[in-house]
Amino acid sequence: MALRRTKGKDLRRKTAQRPERKTIVVFCEGEASEPDYINGLRRLPEIRANTSINIEIDPEPGVPMTLVKRAVERSYDDEVDECWCVFDVEWPHKHPNLERAMLLAEESGIRLAVSNPCFELWLILHFENQTAFMNTKDAERKSRQLDGRSGKRIDADLYMMRRHAASQRAAVLAKRHQRNQSACPNDNPSSTMCDLIAAIES
């Protein structure tokens, strides 16, 4: 009895049926609150349902210069569309080589989400305005008071519904610094996390 030949499965990508996904890779300075927040964004139904975007978080934290160098290296990957570095300025002692890291990012096409003095300032903006200068310690204390947490880890779901209000407050701060011609690191308080949000949601 002759064996019936079965038709092999076509393994070629059906590009006409599935749109190309935009891949954003995020490099975080912190090990807890920043990845927690970005993972919260990834879990949002409207972002999960967007088949055109893929968000990766680099697993290794680091200082700004280290992050930017890793982002530059990763940016050569043809599968990567945008590389973002999320880091702080820190007060009263700003990060070493901060300006050099920002210059390298600009020259290399790496996008930055910088919070001044720290990521906790961005978290504060989800609850209220913050227009006065802050040092890192005070920003961390105020952030914990506002959301009730005891450590670095955050409940990202608590922030997601407030992210657009935070972006609006950050935009107001940016306009004020622009009027005063105050650029980073002399733009305390400020955060460009809103730019990352816009890139993800666009």
Side-chain angles (χ1 to χ4, degrees), residues 7-12 14:
K7 185 178 180 181
K9 184 179 180 181
D10 186 359
L11 299 178
R12 290 174 297 179
K14 296 178 175 59

Side-chain angles (χ1 to χ4, degrees), residues 2-69:
L3 294 175
R4 188 177 61 179
R5 294 184 63 185
T6 57
K7 185 178 180 181
K9 184 179 180 181
D10 186 359
L11 299 178
R12 290 174 297 179
R13 181 182 293 178
K14 296 178 175 59
T15 53
Q17 295 179 7
R18 176 177 290 183
E20 185 93 14
R21 286 169 66 85
K22 176 181 179 181
T23 296
I24 296 176
V25 183
V26 183
F27 297 77
C28 298
E29 175 187 351
E31 299 181 44
S33 53
E34 293 96 324
D36 286 348
Y37 188 95
I38 294 163
N39 277 320
L41 287 170
R42 288 167 51 168
R43 290 194 301 269
L44 288 171
E46 59 268 36
I47 291 176
R48 267 206 328 267
N50 186 350
T51 58
S52 66
I53 190 164
N54 178 42
I55 306 169
E56 295 181 27
I57 301 177
D58 188 82
E60 296 294 326
V63 296
M65 181 58 83
T66 303
L67 294 180
V68 171
K69 286 181 177 178

Side-chain angles (χ1 to χ4, degrees), residues 8-191:
K9 184 179 180 181
D10 186 359
L11 299 178
R12 290 174 297 179
R13 181 182 293 178
K14 296 178 175 59
T15 53
Q17 295 179 7
R18 176 177 290 183
E20 185 93 14
R21 286 169 66 85
K22 176 181 179 181
T23 296
I24 296 176
V25 183
V26 183
F27 297 77
C28 298
E29 175 187 351
E31 299 181 44
S33 53
E34 293 96 324
D36 286 348
Y37 188 95
I38 294 163
N39 277 320
L41 287 170
R42 288 167 51 168
R43 290 194 301 269
L44 288 171
E46 59 268 36
I47 291 176
R48 267 206 328 267
N50 186 350
T51 58
S52 66
I53 190 164
N54 178 42
I55 306 169
E56 295 181 27
I57 301 177
D58 188 82
E60 296 294 326
V63 296
M65 181 58 83
T66 303
L67 294 180
V68 171
K69 286 181 177 178
R70 289 213 310 268
V72 171
E73 183 177 349
R74 185 66 192 277
S75 69
Y76 293 118
D77 185 341
D78 290 337
E79 299 296 320
V80 173
D81 297 290
E82 291 180 14
C83 284
W84 284 78
C85 292
V86 178
F87 57 76
D88 305 336
V89 171
E90 299 289 359
W91 285 96
H93 306 293
K94 68 179 182 180
H95 273 302
N97 301 316
L98 179 67
E99 286 90 345
R100 286 179 55 201
M102 295 180 72
L103 180 60
L104 176 61
E106 182 179 0
E107 293 172 345
S108 306
I110 304 302
R111 306 287 302 274
L112 300 180
V114 182
S115 297
N116 191 359
C118 55
F119 187 74
E120 284 75 11
L121 181 277
W122 169 245
L123 298 181
I124 289 169
L125 294 177
H126 286 67
F127 295 93
E128 62 185 35
N129 290 313
Q130 176 61 45
T131 58
F133 180 97
M134 301 189 89
N135 62 41
T136 297
K137 186 176 180 180
D138 289 342
E140 290 174 345
R141 182 187 304 114
K142 184 172 184 179
S143 175
R144 287 194 298 269
Q145 290 171 347
L146 287 169
D147 73 1
R149 73 183 187 279
S150 58
K152 282 283 189 179
R153 305 224 73 103
I154 66 168
D155 178 1
D157 293 339
L158 181 65
Y159 288 89
M160 294 302 103
M161 67 184 73
R162 297 178 168 95
R163 68 191 186 280
H164 295 140
S167 293
Q168 291 171 359
R169 291 175 180 130
V172 170
L173 289 174
K175 289 178 181 178
R176 189 186 75 176
H177 292 305
Q178 187 176 25
R179 286 196 305 269
N180 296 335
Q181 298 182 335
S182 302
C184 188
N186 301 311
D187 57 353
N188 182 326
S190 68
S191 178

